[in-house]
Amino acid sequence: MERTLSIIKPDAVAKGVIGKILDRFESNGLKIAATRKMQLSRADAEAFYAVHSERPFFGDLVDFMISGPVVVSVLEGENALIKNRQLMGATNPKEAEAGTIRADFAENIDANAVHGSDSAENAAVEIAFFFSEREIS
Ligand code: IDP
Ligand code: MG
């Protein structure tokens, strides 16, 4: 069993597709081990995306991530990390495979509906950023 962190980003929350996205996870063998809707502060978003702090799009990414509430979840299952990345689709929704979350719900590379951890190491850090062990089951 593996755990990964998912974020439903402000664009998808604003569109009212929280339930549809969580259903993609549950329908594909990923258990929702923890979940919370919340408004990120600027400090939260800057710390969460610190690995991207030198990228040219960092400022826009932080502004976008605090533009409205998000839903953070821990997904659990066999190969949860890669499975979630497959369900998400490519970072740029224009390149995302048909039937993926980003192809179906995202507008562009800035507002691309979901985040998913990209490595086991980052998943552990990202899960601990949002949840204590007693909130995960
Ligand atoms: P990922 O979300 O598919 O893992 P990353 O490369 O980790 O993609 O980038 C993090 C987020 O930063 C993306 O989801 C996207 O919202 C934003 N981003 C990445 N590349 C660009 C870009 O070239 N322009 C604008 N935003 C970008
Ligand atoms: Mg990433």
Side-chain angles (χ1 to χ4, degrees):
M1 279 302 157
E2 191 176 58
R3 286 175 177 173
T4 190
L5 187 88
S6 161
I7 304 179
I8 303 178
K9 295 186 180 184
D11 58 320
V13 172
K15 264 188 199 169
V17 294
I18 296 171
K20 284 181 178 161
I21 292 176
L22 293 179
D23 178 59
R24 297 283 174 106
F25 302 140
E26 293 192 313
S27 297
N28 287 280
L30 292 176
K31 193 178 80 169
I32 297 162
T35 194
R36 182 196 313 124
K37 187 180 182 191
M38 64 184 292
Q39 171 67 49
L40 297 181
S41 67
R42 182 168 294 276
D44 288 333
E46 287 176 350
F48 183 79
Y49 277 117
V51 290
H52 293 309
S53 61
E54 302 305 317
R55 308 275 286 274
F57 56 81
F58 181 69
D60 288 341
L61 176 59
V62 169
D63 285 344
F64 170 64
M65 289 301 289
I66 66 173
S67 66
V70 298
V71 174
V72 293
S73 304
V74 177
L75 307 180
E76 188 177 88
E78 224 169 286
N79 301 316
L81 197 145
I82 193 80
K83 195 176 276 182
N84 180 43
R85 295 293 313 195
Q86 287 168 348
L87 293 172
M88 288 166 61
T91 305
N92 185 345
K94 290 176 180 66
E95 294 162 9
E97 241 179 272
T100 60
I101 293 168
R102 282 167 164 167
D104 290 347
F105 302 119
E107 299 306 324
N108 53 58
I109 196 164
D110 298 288
N112 63 0
V114 280
H115 166 86
S117 307
D118 64 1
S119 71
E121 294 73 19
N122 287 342
V125 171
E126 291 179 0
I127 288 169
F129 187 84
F130 286 113
F131 296 100
S132 63
E133 194 55 38
R134 57 202 275 273
E135 294 176 300
I136 306 170
S137 58

